[in-house]
Amino acid sequence: MTIFPRNRRRSAAASAAVALVALAALAGTAAPASASAPTATAVAAAATAAPSALALPRPTGPYATGRDALLLTDHGRPDPWAPDAGPRRLSVTLHYPARPGTGGDPAAYMAEEEARRMLAQRGLDDPAWPGLVSAARTHARTAAAPAPGRFPLVVLSPGFGTPRATLTGLAEELASRGYVVASADHPYETTGMELPDGRVLPCAACDAVDAQPDEAGRRKVLAAVSTGRAADVSFLLDRLTGPRPAWRHARTIAPRRIGMAGHSIGGNAAASTMAADRRVDAGVNMDGMFFDPVSAKGLGGRPFLMLGTEPGHGPGGGDATWDEGWTRLDGFKRWLTVRDSGHFTFTDTPEIGEQLGIVDPSAPLSAARSTTITRAYVTAFFDRSLRGRPARLLDGPSPAHPEVLFPRP
């Protein structure tokens, strides 16, 4: 995992070469902000012509999917990164099982200005790219009527500096399989979060990390990011499952079946949230360092999945926080690693990057396999943990997924 240097200009060739990583913006990350980016020679060049349209893979579950959005304000808590800006706000996308044939058109992938800032932060200033990324085809329809029934809730938290949109493919898959999914943008922790009035909030937390004189200081700030997200998620659960819910379809949520998954620092935040809030029954960390360590008291016997790169996040693979965290997990747990993967394998980045003609030889796992593996194992874990369904996929290596390893710490 890497936080790439901010505000460093690259040549056009080098910028194209790192675009696969760039689409997930800043990592949320195991390395200090001064860590080096892949060189242009380490990554294949982009195709000569970008496609006219990008698309996420279609979800595979039996439900149609709907999509809604909320902007929530926590009046009881000032924003930790911009206190003068007032109370903490969360921008949330809801994906949910929907009645077939209802709703409008599928929503755009992300706001164009958010896409522009995400790409510009990585030195990618081709004027055509923000529109392409913003307009990537999704599959959940706005204003769709919810399917009958009550469904488990899964909260998704993105990597540091990374918009929540980069977890859209996983959110749509879970919704198609009978989950309500709330994906949160944590303000001032992404390259740009657009508000309904058009204002875009910058990444003040990124500046706070960059201002630290050493790795210890950076880790301390990133630990605060993780624990701050725990407070965000507790507030979000209050607003989704409390007596006066903010979401018009909140009745579809089964409030006693709640999980959380996150990429990179969002995965750390899943453990931080479980330590702080008993309402979260299960968690998934997708390739995130535990800047905020797993509680020495464990997680109250609740299940947790660590899904990471191989060898970087294998036992003894360089991130000692996983080795320590594993020993502290006190419920059902799995530590899985994926061969040929990279830090952004568990997001939409491989799909978007591959369609743009960009291939990263340091993470040769194809977009199709990246998507299939992430969907299969995260869904299996939540099916087991929140629904009590058998999940043989978690019992050991599968011929269908030879890239997924079950290390023995």
Side-chain angles (χ1 to χ4, degrees):
M1 294 184 295
T2 306
I3 296 177
F4 294 113
R6 301 178 70 236
N7 302 321
R8 177 181 294 176
R9 301 297 298 173
R10 297 185 178 93
S11 67
S15 294
V18 298
L20 181 63
V21 174
L23 289 171
L26 296 171
T29 82
S34 59
S36 61
T39 64
T41 56
V43 185
T48 56
S52 59
L54 309 178
L56 298 181
R58 187 173 296 278
T60 64
Y63 288 97
T65 57
R67 175 165 158 166
D68 212 343
L70 294 174
L71 180 66
L72 302 176
T73 302
D74 184 354
H75 293 284
R77 187 164 62 110
D79 194 282
W81 308 113
D84 293 342
R88 183 74 160 168
R89 288 173 289 188
L90 293 182
S91 189
V92 181
T93 299
L94 283 304
H95 289 88
Y96 55 93
R99 292 181 183 271
T102 65
D105 294 331
Y109 185 61
M110 69 168 69
E112 186 165 346
E113 180 60 17
E114 291 179 342
R116 187 192 69 77
R117 292 192 181 207
M118 182 180 73
L119 294 166
Q121 191 68 31
R122 308 276 37 91
L124 299 170
D125 49 12
D126 185 318
W129 280 48
L132 281 172
V133 174
S134 169
R137 182 169 180 263
T138 64
H139 301 282
R141 296 187 176 274
T142 57
R150 305 190 87 182
F151 305 96
L153 171 67
V154 174
V155 177
L156 296 182
S157 183
F160 184 62
T162 305
R164 70 190 186 279
T166 56
L167 295 175
T168 298
L170 178 58
E172 290 189 334
E173 176 69 12
L174 287 168
S176 80
R177 293 188 170 274
Y179 292 87
V180 174
V181 183
S183 304
D185 259 350
H186 307 271
Y188 301 104
E189 296 175 21
T190 177
T191 47
M193 186 182 100
E194 185 170 299
L195 299 176
D197 62 8
R199 287 181 296 151
V200 181
L201 305 182
C203 191
C206 301
D207 296 333
V209 171
D210 286 346
Q212 300 308 304
D214 53 28
E215 183 177 354
R218 288 186 286 268
R219 289 190 178 215
K220 185 176 180 180
V221 173
L222 290 166
V225 170
S226 187
T227 56
R229 290 191 180 192
D232 288 346
V233 174
S234 290
F235 166 69
L236 175 59
L237 296 182
D238 290 343
R239 301 299 288 126
L240 291 179
T241 66
R244 296 180 180 177
W247 185 40
R248 57 183 170 171
H249 301 314
R251 68 185 183 278
T252 63
I253 295 173
R256 296 186 183 276
R257 292 183 288 163
I258 298 174
M260 181 175 173
H263 170 243
S264 201
I265 207 165
N268 186 180
S272 297
T273 303
M274 291 178 71
D277 197 322
R278 289 288 310 183
R279 290 175 293 181
V280 181
D281 300 303
V284 179
N285 179 352
M286 297 183 290
D287 213 52
M289 175 178 266
F290 291 106
F291 293 104
D292 176 40
V294 176
S295 172
K297 298 178 181 179
L299 298 177
R302 287 167 289 171
F304 201 87
L305 170 65
M306 303 192 320
L307 177 64
T309 54
E310 175 65 34
H313 267 124
D319 183 356
T321 69
W322 273 41
D323 297 88
E324 177 187 70
W326 176 258
T327 66
R328 293 180 172 185
L329 296 174
D330 56 348
F332 174 86
K333 58 185 179 179
R334 288 292 183 268
W335 184 337
L336 308 181
T337 57
V338 183
R339 280 195 303 244
D340 296 331
S341 62
H343 183 53
F344 300 107
T345 286
F346 312 102
T347 71
D348 298 334
T349 302
E351 293 287 355
I352 297 294
E354 195 168 281
Q355 290 172 66
L356 290 171
I358 302 163
V359 178
D360 181 358
S362 70
L365 190 69
S366 71
R369 293 302 299 154
S370 298
T371 296
T372 296
I373 287 168
T374 303
R375 288 176 168 184
Y377 283 88
V378 173
T379 302
F381 175 78
F382 283 129
D383 280 351
R384 182 195 183 280
S385 303
L386 302 181
R387 289 188 157 130
R389 295 178 177 174
R392 285 182 219 151
L393 201 57
L394 301 176
D395 291 342
S398 166
H401 305 291
E403 306 94 336
V404 180
L405 308 178
F406 284 67
R408 299 184 181 275

